Amino acid sequence: MGLVVQLSYFVASVLFILGLKAMSSPVTARKGVMWAGVGMVLATLATFAHPKVGMDNLTLMLIALAIGGAFAWYTALKVQMTEMPQMVAVYNGLGGGAAGGIAAVALLQGASSEGSVAASLGAEAATLGLIGATIGSVAFAGSMIAWAKLDERLKRSTLTANHQQWNIGLAIATAVLALWVFNTGSGLPILLFFAAALALGVFVTVPIGGADMPVVISLLNALTGLAVGFKGFLLGNPALIIAGTVVGAAGMLLTYLMAKAMNRSLVSILFSGFGAAPAAAEAETEGEMKEVGPADGAYMMGYSDRVIIVPGYGLAVAQAQHKLWEMVELLQRLGVDVKFAIHPVAGRMPGHMNVLLAEAGVPYDMIFDMDEINEEFEDTDTVLIIGANDVVNPAAREDEGSPIYGMPILNVDHADQVLVVKRGRGSGFSGVENKLFFRDNTRMVFGDAQKVVADMVQTVKGM
Amino acid sequence: MIEVTGVVALYVFMLAAVAGYEVITRVPVILHTPLMSGSNFIHGIVVVGAMVTLGVAETPVEQAIGFVAVLLGAANAVGGYVVTERMLEMFKSSKKEDG
């Protein structure tokens, strides 16, 4: 029996790595997730034959699998594409919670036998278990906060006046309590330890600004992977070690790439949200916003040779991606060359915009990354910006006092004319004023993106 | 015999970390969200650990925690898969089938 389990875990691990590899190209991505899925089913089924999985709790196990699986199946099928970031945060948090649970049981069992947790589990296993438990709990609590923030259920970004001190205090408390658990054998320190680790997750995540959320979700995802890897150490389970660690490493790299794209260090994201950055350096804005109607905007694009569309989170909020694609198809019929330009952190998750556009049916070879397309803005007649703000803000290049200074941006201001569809006159998600909107060659169309684009479609149809 | 412990586990850990790093070094931004979601699905393997843990749970408290862990792990795996699959389903090229 042992051999079957062992082989299944081996095959599953191979499938996970190959699957992840395949997921890094659009052509093979679907195959990749399917391979990983096969690996998951295989590993789960094989675990029923694991020598430690007795018959005692089999019924409980099946009920738990059924409830958890059914709940996730239902919610995952129902969720809107625009709400994907929240949903990934939730599932990630659940994984972190599961890792925390595994650690809790192991520690309780260590505590219930003779002597200290360290003595009964072994120093290695106890240490890894505690580290994994800390990371898992932080990932769980942090993901739930990330979900609440993205879902706009939680709007506040402070819990106390001195967040830094609280974070440091909670981190120290968690470490001290972990030592206490390590050296003793009772339930109380374990309980306090988990409480402190969960509170740490909450306190660290709450002050982080919305614009930084993609990076944070990616980081939490990597952390859960690491926690799962450490649980693998604790249980001596190679499938957990490999899958968890692969995700941990890949997630860390992804997080780093994202933070780099925003020109922010992880430390500054985690320990000073955008909201906390000093707003004193606000530059004076010159000129006025020049407003035009949707029909004028449509004419501007219809008579252009080259148009680049820059989508942002506003597109997702307004669910305007289908209408937008309808308009692009009409423009193409008029002979206009249309491309999409995606900033690495447009939306609230990397690739968020790609997913939305794909949902509307936009072929992925019309969609370009920032580096691929940034030089083309100079030869472009009209740029259409829908619901994006900070990623096209020239202050990132020009204004050293701006909180977003240094962030690579799409050079939309190099195009002949810029058309901005925006919900209102206020500043963006990060609260930074955008001088682009006041420039001479910029025209503003105010209104809900879906309605504006629908009006544009009508106009283009008549051209 | 099934268990990998000690230094061997450390080697596995190191190699897996290298594999994870290498595997996504060249990913187009277009796939970042599906990839994050896909890796989120893969750490759903935690459900296996949770099952083993519930398997050895003895007291009611341990059973309760183990039960919740299996439930959460299963939700992580299933939800992660369905969401990723839904996202990737939508990707298509204009060369093959015009959208």
Side-chain angles (χ1 to χ4, degrees), chain A residues 118-142:
Chain A
S120 58
L121 290 179
E124 268 176 40
T127 311
L128 290 169
L130 284 166
I131 296 174
T134 309
I135 301 175
S137 305
V138 169
F140 172 72

Side-chain angles (χ1 to χ4, degrees), chain A residues 405-447:
Chain A
Y405 179 72
M407 178 173 96
I409 55 160
L410 289 162
N411 297 325
V412 294
D413 48 333
H414 293 173
D416 291 347
Q417 42 188 1
V418 179
L419 196 59
V420 181
V421 177
K422 203 168 173 300
R423 198 152 40 156
R425 286 167 183 272
S427 54
F429 202 52
S430 69
V432 182
E433 194 70 57
N434 194 338
K435 276 199 281 183
L436 175 74
F437 301 160
F438 299 91
R439 296 208 168 178
D440 285 341
N441 62 347
T442 304
R443 296 289 176 276
M444 308 294 292
V445 184
F446 291 109

Side-chain angles (χ1 to χ4, degrees), chain A residues 198-217:
Chain A
L198 288 171
L200 180 62
V202 172
F203 272 78
V204 167
T205 321
V206 165
I208 294 172
D212 287 333
M213 261 315 153
V215 183
V216 174
I217 296 178

Side-chain angles (χ1 to χ4, degrees), chain A residues 26-46:
Chain A
V27 187
T28 51
R30 283 194 78 185
K31 258 185 264 166
V33 71
M34 242 176 274
W35 292 342
V38 171
M40 189 69 71
V41 171
L42 188 68
T44 311
L45 289 179

Side-chain angles (χ1 to χ4, degrees), chain B residues 22-66:
Chain B
E22 281 301 317
V23 147
I24 74 145
T25 338
R26 281 179 298 276
V27 182
V29 173
I30 177 174
L31 281 173
H32 275 181
T33 293
L35 188 78
M36 192 195 294
S37 176
S39 58
N40 175 47
F41 158 64
I42 288 174
H43 70 53
I45 189 70
V46 71
V47 70
V48 165
M51 286 167 71
V52 176
T53 298
L54 179 57
V56 296
E58 277 155 14
T59 67
V61 178
E62 289 168 15
Q63 282 179 322
I65 299 174

Side-chain angles (χ1 to χ4, degrees), chain A residues 160-323:
Chain A
T160 66
N162 341 314
H163 248 283
Q164 285 330 336
Q165 285 89 326
W166 271 90
N167 286 346
I168 295 166
L170 280 167
I172 293 171
T174 309
V176 170
L177 287 165
L179 272 177
W180 190 19
V181 173
F182 189 81
N183 288 312
T184 56
S186 75
L188 180 68
I190 296 177
L191 194 69
L192 290 176
F193 161 71
F194 274 103
L198 288 171
L200 180 62
V202 172
F203 272 78
V204 167
T205 321
V206 165
I208 294 172
D212 287 333
M213 261 315 153
V215 183
V216 174
I217 296 178
S218 174
L219 180 66
L220 292 169
N221 186 43
L223 285 181
T224 308
L226 270 186
V228 172
F230 283 130
K231 294 306 96 160
F233 274 111
L234 186 63
L235 300 167
N237 188 315
L240 258 69
I241 300 182
I242 294 174
T245 311
V246 165
V247 169
M252 284 298 173
L253 178 62
L254 191 59
T255 309
Y256 167 75
L257 291 176
M258 279 156 63
K260 208 174 88 174
M262 298 172 79
N263 201 37
R264 312 251 296 139
S265 77
L266 267 181
V267 176
S268 65
I269 288 173
L270 288 178
F271 299 111
S272 71
F274 254 113
E282 197 103 322
E284 287 292 309
T285 47
E286 297 157 21
E288 278 176 47
M289 291 192 190
K290 287 160 281 290
E291 187 177 348
V292 297
D296 295 320
Y299 283 122
M300 279 164 71
M301 287 184 287
Y303 289 116
S304 298
D305 291 328
R306 291 156 163 272
V307 170
I308 295 180
I309 300 177
V310 178
Y313 189 67
L315 179 79
V317 173
Q319 293 277 7
Q321 63 271 29
H322 298 283
K323 276 282 164 210

Side-chain angles (χ1 to χ4, degrees), chain A residues 6 9 25-26 30 33 47 52 57 72 76-77 79 84 92 95 109 221 233 236 249-250 349-350 352 363-365, chain B residues 1 3-4 9 17 24 30-31 33 39-41 43 48 53-54 56-57 62-63 67 75-76 81 83 85-86 92 94:
Chain A
Q6 221 168 6
Y9 285 171
S25 154
R30 283 194 78 185
V33 71
T47 304
K52 278 193 182 162
N57 294 320
L77 282 180
V79 63
M84 273 311 166
N92 178 52
Q109 284 179 335
N221 186 43
F233 274 111
M349 240 160 92
H352 191 186
Y364 61 75
D365 41 17
Chain B
M1 174 219 51
E3 306 194 339
V4 173
I24 74 145
I30 177 174
L31 281 173
T33 293
S39 58
N40 175 47
F41 158 64
H43 70 53
V48 165
T53 298
L54 179 57
V56 296
E62 289 168 15
Q63 282 179 322
F67 179 81
N76 181 182
Y81 183 84
V83 164
E85 168 66 24
R86 273 188 63 194
K92 52 187 163 200
S94 61

